[in-house]
């Protein structure tokens, strides 16, 4: 078939609009004999019958394997340069008690970015000693809780935070290990990195203020300096941004060694994943090796020992293991004028007329409340009909959500079988990271459950909300509420929380 002129240049018509590209789908996704999408041996239609739509599905074995693989990649790369690596899972990507246990069993620590994330990790039994605490605006209560339970590191994000952490640690009689987050000026995004102005973002301490901040840390007996921290961005495909950051940070690291120990260097997370089959992130083993090579050469150049390394991957552990299942509600083909390319006499002669092409809006029963990423970042995703295979000629589709906003898009552009229809189940892969984590109740839509699948068994790991859950939060309905949380038919007994 010919490409639809409305499709972006990167999106080619598929050879098979039912195929599940291995790089994009969970490790244990395949089609059953009848064409049904199977996730770790569980049929998509069975999942939907039990849990409804939308539903987030996580391939448990895939998460565990990715955690193991990422840890092994860094341990072996840094082991070869006589260093070692501690990998912390960045819980912001998706944290629940079960996921905290899976990554702990794979030997990872956990990195938390709020008191709430810390509470989940602790409730799941995460060892505080391998928990790191982040945040550019930590409250005193968050700091106190972290120090009280004995977290392994707090990443200090500003000069002023030094005194606050030190005072709370002193009061609690603790010696708190801390890192210092540096704004190295390297900001990486997919395919590129930019060495931008240092000052114009909220995270970390600029390189120019780093020495005085570490001096301040070292003045306190209640603090123990572990080393520098750098996180250069997210969804990064190549090694060069990491290498640039290592090179800059090691200069500072060497300078700090003149006045005391600096045992570690934390290089953050940000390792990219494939959302569509044109995305080709460099394998994590290669990135780990490149980072180790850069670290070894920087240390040799500066004449200092190679520090131990800490890393904080989030997306690359859980992202590819997640799939969201939706139900198609409406299919709406639209004739759309194709934007005219710039006039080219050689090509166009005098026959320039507007052309129109068909874009088919496939609206599903979820949207920006369960995945804000397409609306927020214009992130690209892919999609497949989950409930069957089809040999119908593919059409260019835009998968839209059910919210009252034109920008409520689930997949901007994808070729779907031309017979896609109301009632079909639609699956969007690579939704395991920053989907549930950033979900909202926009339009009073209840957030979906998260279901783990493994070896043919499905179980809820995060309950979905019901509309009653949402109504219970509406204080305007408190009068006349019964113990069950329902609004009583007659006014009378009230409960409050
Ligand atoms: N460490 C720090 C200090 C971070 O700020 C982050 C992500 C990570 C580690 C983990 O990065 P990852 O390996 O997951 O890329 N909501 C955005 C991503 C925000 C990332 C924020 N920080 C998205 O959906 O693309």
């Amino acid at each position: 078939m010919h490409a639809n002129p409305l499709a972006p240049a990167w999106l080619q018509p598929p050879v098979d609009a039912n195929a599940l590209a291995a790089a994009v789908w969970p490790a244990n996704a395949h089609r059953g004999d009848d064409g049904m999408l199977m996730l770790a041996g569980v049929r998509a239609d069975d999942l939907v019958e039990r849990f409804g739509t939308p539903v987030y599905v996580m391939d448990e074995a895939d998460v565990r394997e990715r955690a193991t693989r990422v840890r092994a990649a860094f341990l072996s790369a840094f082991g070869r340069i006589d260093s070692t690596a501690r990998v912390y899972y960045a819980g912001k990507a998706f944290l629940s008690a079960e996921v905290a246990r899976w990554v702990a069993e794979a030997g990872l620590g956990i990195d938390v970015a709020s008191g709430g994330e810390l509470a989940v990790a602790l409730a799941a039994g995460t060892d505080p000693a391998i928990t790191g605490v982040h945040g550019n605006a930590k409250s005193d209560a968050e700091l106190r809780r972290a120090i009280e339970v004995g977290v392994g590191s707090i990443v200090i994000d500003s000069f002023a935070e030094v005194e606050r952490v030190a005072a709370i640690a002193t009061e609690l009689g603790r010696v708190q290990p801390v890192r210092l987050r540096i704004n190295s000026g390297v900001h990486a995004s997919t395919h590129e990195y930019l060495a931008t102005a240092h000052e114009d973002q909220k995270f970390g301490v600029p390189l120019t203020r780093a020495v005085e901040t570490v001096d301040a840390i070292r003045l306190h007996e209640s603090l123990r300096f572990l080393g520098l921290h750098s996180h250069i961005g997210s969804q990064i495909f190549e090694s060069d941004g990491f290498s640039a950051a290592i090179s800059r940070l090691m200069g500072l690291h060497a300078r700090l060694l003149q006045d005391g120990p600096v045992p570690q260097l934390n290089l953050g997370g940000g390792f990219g994943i494939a959302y569509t089959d044109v995305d080709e992130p460099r394998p994590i083993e290669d990135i780990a090796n490149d980072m180790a090579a850069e670290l070894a050469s920087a240390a040799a150049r500066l004449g200092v020992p190679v520090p131990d390394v800490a890393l904080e991957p989030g997306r690359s552990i859980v992202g590819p293991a997640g799939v969201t299942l939706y139900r198609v509600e409406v299919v709406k083909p639209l004739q759309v004028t194709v934007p005219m390319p710039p006039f080219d006499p050689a090509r166009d002669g005098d026959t320039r007329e507007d052309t129109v092409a068909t874009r088919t809006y496939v609206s599903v029963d979820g949207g920006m409340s369960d995945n804000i990423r397409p609306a927020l970042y214009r992130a690209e995703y892919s999609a497949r009909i989950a409930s069957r295979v089809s040999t119908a000629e593919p059409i260019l589709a835009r998968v839209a959500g059910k919210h009252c906003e034109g920008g409520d898009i689930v997949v901007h552009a994808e070729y779907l079988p031309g017979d896609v229809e109301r009632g079909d189940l639609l699956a969007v892969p690579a939704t395991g990271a920053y989907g549930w984590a950033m979900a909202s109740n926009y339009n009073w839509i209840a957030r979906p459950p998260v279901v783990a699948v493994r070896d043919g068994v499905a179980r809820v790991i995060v309950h979905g909300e019901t509309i009653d859950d949402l109504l219970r939060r509406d204080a305007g309905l408190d009068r006349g509420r019964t113990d069950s949380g329902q609004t009583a038919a007659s006014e009378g007994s009230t409960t409050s929380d």
Side-chain angles (χ1 to χ4, degrees), residues 99-298:
V99 170
R101 292 184 194 116
W102 301 346
V103 297
E105 284 171 27
L108 274 60
I110 295 193
D111 165 50
V112 299
S114 72
E117 288 184 8
L118 178 61
V120 182
L122 293 175
T126 305
D127 179 359
I130 52 167
T131 303
V133 174
H134 270 283
N136 67 302
K138 304 177 196 80
S139 69
D140 282 347
E142 286 174 321
L143 286 174
R144 178 174 296 274
R145 179 71 179 144
I147 296 169
E148 213 165 54
V149 301
V151 298
S153 64
I154 292 178
V155 182
I156 290 182
D157 198 85
S158 64
F159 188 82
E161 196 183 339
V162 176
E163 301 307 316
R164 292 174 56 213
V165 178
I168 297 171
T170 303
E171 195 189 314
L172 295 173
R174 297 294 173 91
V175 176
Q176 177 60 50
V178 296
R179 307 180 193 278
L180 178 64
R181 181 161 179 177
I182 301 296
N183 174 3
S184 68
V186 178
H187 297 279
S189 59
T190 311
H191 302 313
E192 65 178 28
Y193 73 89
L194 304 171
T196 57
H198 300 178
E199 61 279 5
D200 212 4
Q201 58 109 339
K202 69 175 182 171
F203 295 110
V205 172
L207 278 167
T208 48
R209 290 206 69 191
V211 173
E212 61 177 305
T213 311
V214 175
D215 286 348
I217 290 172
R218 283 172 164 158
L219 284 176
H220 290 284
E221 282 179 5
S222 62
L223 303 181
R224 182 159 66 85
F225 183 55
L226 287 180
L228 302 173
H229 176 284
S230 148
H231 172 78
I232 59 169
S234 199
Q235 183 61 356
I236 300 164
F237 281 18
E238 302 293 341
S239 306
D240 47 5
F242 294 111
S243 296
I246 290 170
S247 173
R248 287 188 197 192
L249 282 195
M250 279 302 285
L252 177 59
H253 178 97
R255 163 67 189 82
L256 296 172
L257 275 170
Q258 292 170 8
D259 302 324
V262 192
Q264 299 183 14
L265 179 63
N266 188 324
L267 295 167
F271 313 104
I273 65 165
Y275 284 96
T276 73
D277 56 12
V278 298
D279 289 338
E280 289 181 358
R282 220 163 130 68
I284 195 73
E285 290 78 9
D286 294 0
I287 292 189
N289 287 334
D290 289 350
M291 289 170 84
E294 183 68 29
L295 186 65
S297 83

Side-chain angles (χ1 to χ4, degrees), residues 5-76:
L6 293 167
W10 60 265
L11 182 66
Q12 294 305 309
V15 177
D16 175 3
N18 307 294
L20 310 175
V24 181
W25 289 78
N28 301 298
H30 67 275
R31 294 276 183 189
D33 292 341
D34 59 352
M36 181 65 60
L37 175 67
M38 309 281 296
L39 296 168
V42 187
R43 292 171 60 91
D45 55 350
D46 285 349
L47 285 165
V48 165
E49 198 183 325
R50 274 182 70 187
F51 306 110
T53 46
V55 56
Y56 301 102
V57 187
M58 294 293 286
D59 180 341
E60 176 179 344
D62 197 14
V63 175
R64 290 175 180 271
E65 273 160 31
R66 284 173 191 282
T68 302
R69 175 178 164 191
V70 169
R71 177 168 177 269
F74 285 111
L75 274 178
S76 95

Side-chain angles (χ1 to χ4, degrees), residues 66-67 70 89 93 270-273 284 312-321 433:
R66 284 173 191 282
V70 169
Y89 167 62
F271 313 104
I273 65 165
I284 195 73
E312 302 167 340
R315 186 192 317 265
S316 53
I317 309 277
V318 289

